Amino acid sequence: MRVGIVGSGRLGSPLGRLFAAAGHDVFFSDADPARALAAARAAEGRARGGEPGQAARFGDVVVLAVGWEAFPVVVAELDGTLAGKIVVDPSNPIAERDGAAVVVAVPDRLTSPQYQQHVLGSEVRLVRTFNTKYPNELLELGTAGQRGGARADMPYWGDDDEAKKAVLPLIEDAGFTAIDGGGLSEAL
Ligand SMILES: NC(=O)c1ccc[n+]([C@@H]2O[C@H](COP(=O)([O-])OP(=O)(O)OC[C@H]3O[C@@H](n4cnc5c(N)ncnc54)[C@H](OP(=O)(O)O)[C@@H]3O)[C@@H](O)[C@H]2O)c1
């Protein structure tokens, strides 16, 4: 599968590595192109790096691995490129302010991915997953699962059943057991 990664930081980089190790075509991108290229170099297989717009156009599935506050900025910058695409949302409503992590209130009593779906627009097919593990444990657990060891559970949520079906093998290929958590209203 062709996977675009927008945001090659603490989470996006190891997540893309897991996909690349499983044989998927991964296009890393970031606000800092050097970070995207470094992530591509760290990954095995056919990984490459470039601009966010290129990653968004490249991916059958596009992971938006940017911070909560950057999420609407990225969506605006991508300017419709994501319409019709399956987008994986690992974003948690936590922001960095003054060097400290601050939990942000999600507006309108929505769950976090319901709000991100609102930001993305109804043409984007959102699946929420990969939001429940720290990056180091994600890489360790995923690599262990890929090598035939015990598999950790990875919950996923979405309102689009076809999009969920498309993301399921990505979760499994990343070394996890995919657990259907239901719709976006039920998401963590
Ligand atoms: N880290 C965790 O423990 C963890 C766990 C689960 C889920 N998550 C979620 O995963 C997401 C990413 O977290 P992270 O820890 O990986 O953050 P991070 O290390 O700060 O990485 C985010 C990357 O996105 C880049 N970025 C910012 N604005 C951008 C834009 N407009 N276009 C393209 N790239 C942009 C950032 O570049 P700059 O640094 O230059 O701004 C940074 O390289 C967050 O939503 C977080 O809630 C994180």
Side-chain angles (χ1 to χ4, degrees):
M1 191 178 286
R2 288 156 67 104
V3 185
I5 306 273
V6 179
S8 301
R10 284 167 291 196
L11 191 81
S13 176
L15 183 56
R17 276 175 71 173
L18 289 172
F19 295 147
H24 294 287
D25 285 338
V26 180
F27 196 122
F28 290 93
S29 70
D30 197 275
D32 177 357
R35 204 173 292 153
L37 292 172
R41 275 196 298 274
E44 298 169 32
R46 295 186 292 264
R48 67 197 93 169
E51 302 286 330
Q54 292 175 293
R57 283 189 293 279
F58 175 85
D60 302 314
V61 170
V62 181
V63 182
L64 295 187
V66 300
W68 173 265
E69 287 171 323
F71 197 100
V73 177
V74 168
V75 172
E77 285 171 353
L78 292 176
D79 191 25
T81 314
L82 297 172
K85 298 256 182 189
I86 296 171
V87 165
V88 165
D89 165 30
S91 70
N92 291 319
I94 296 169
E96 294 284 338
R97 296 213 186 106
D98 304 323
V102 177
V103 178
V104 180
V106 180
D108 302 327
R109 303 172 70 94
L110 299 173
T111 65
S112 172
Q114 281 179 315
Y115 181 71
Q116 302 299 36
Q117 178 77 73
H118 170 72
V119 170
L120 286 160
S122 58
E123 289 180 357
V124 174
R125 310 171 68 196
L126 188 152
V127 178
R128 177 155 180 80
T129 187
F130 295 116
N131 60 306
T132 55
K133 300 261 184 278
Y134 289 111
N136 56 345
E137 60 173 345
L138 182 84
L139 190 58
E140 280 170 25
L141 292 169
T143 302
Q146 287 178 329
R147 292 180 179 166
R151 283 177 172 255
D153 289 346
M154 181 60 70
Y156 66 108
W157 299 267
D159 293 337
D160 180 326
D161 287 340
E162 291 302 316
K164 283 168 79 175
K165 264 188 216 156
V167 170
L168 191 149
L170 267 186
I171 298 172
E172 299 274 343
D173 289 351
F176 296 91
T177 298
I179 305 291
D180 188 346
L184 295 181
S185 66
E186 296 164 278
L188 296 178

